[in-house]
Amino acid sequence: MMGTGVLEPLWTLLFPPRCPACGCYVEARGGWCPACLRAALRVRRLVLTPAQRGALAAGWTLGVYEGALRDLVRGLKYQGRTEHLYAIDTFLRAAAPMLCRLLQEDGGARQLGARFDAAAAVPLHASREQQRGFNQTERIFAAWLAGEGLSLERLLVRVKETRPQYGLSREERARNLEGAFAPAAGAAIRGRRILLLDDIFTTGTTALHCAEVLRGAGAAQVAVLTLASGQNR
């Protein structure tokens, strides 16, 4: 990301930071105004279907996929706007205490690093990642996970190019992803508790397919965490 280190004061002077939602001035790059941050945050359990509960031990999401959060994710994914990571990181740090409380309510450790052995992002196909220049889910979560004491590992690969899931029905999504994922060569999966990461949770089809591959490779447990979801419950 640009504008860090010794250049940060100059960068801030030339481009005063603004809230990504309402545009009002904030103190530091990546800052949100309190009201907009509260509106975007909705840390909650994901509603999983019976089939998803067969592969996923649990699911959580941190925000509402609308407004500023949706724009930040889309800008990062489709326009390479890596400067959006500043605001996303602030959002993650604000969500962390709420997630800890939810994890405690669900039983077990409050900290991700104590509850899971590794995290793995939903992979992009190699051609898509080369085109984009990065896996957006890895970029979203990497720094935050390091602070949580959880390693981010490439445990999965996408072996088939697929259509974008946006606009597809649940059935079309399932057909689109059939056979799309496989364990990464040499990945340490067997017996481990894996936290699967994705940017958005819509129907959960992607999470289900990835979790089934991880469980098939011997993972002791798989749960999913996403930045945002369109689920209203």
Side-chain angles (χ1 to χ4, degrees), residues 83-207:
E83 69 273 17
H84 286 187
L85 291 166
Y86 286 102
I88 291 173
D89 187 63
T90 300
F91 174 88
L92 287 171
R93 294 181 188 282
M98 303 177 196
L99 179 61
C100 285
R101 289 195 293 271
L102 196 57
L103 291 172
Q104 188 174 40
E105 290 174 9
D106 290 344
R110 287 169 51 92
Q111 299 300 321
L112 293 175
R115 190 171 184 129
F116 298 98
D117 301 308
V122 170
L124 300 178
H125 190 268
S127 61
R128 179 68 60 83
E129 185 168 353
Q130 184 177 22
Q131 180 186 40
R132 190 170 290 174
F134 53 84
N135 178 321
Q136 76 281 349
T137 302
E138 290 180 344
R139 294 295 299 272
I140 285 169
F141 285 103
W144 179 67
L145 284 177
E148 292 287 311
L150 189 60
S151 63
L152 180 58
E153 303 178 19
R154 290 204 160 190
L155 303 180
L156 294 168
V157 292
R158 190 181 293 241
V159 295
K160 184 180 80 171
E161 289 192 68
T162 55
R163 297 165 56 195
Q165 295 282 83
Y166 179 77
L168 300 182
S169 68
R170 185 182 293 271
E171 293 74 19
E172 289 170 332
R173 288 169 183 253
R175 288 195 299 270
N176 188 40
L177 291 177
E178 187 174 353
F181 303 105
I189 297 174
R190 184 166 298 278
R192 303 178 82 192
R193 301 164 300 169
I194 308 298
L195 181 64
L196 180 67
L197 304 169
D198 206 357
D199 52 358
I200 307 159
F201 187 99
T202 307
T203 65
T205 305
T206 302

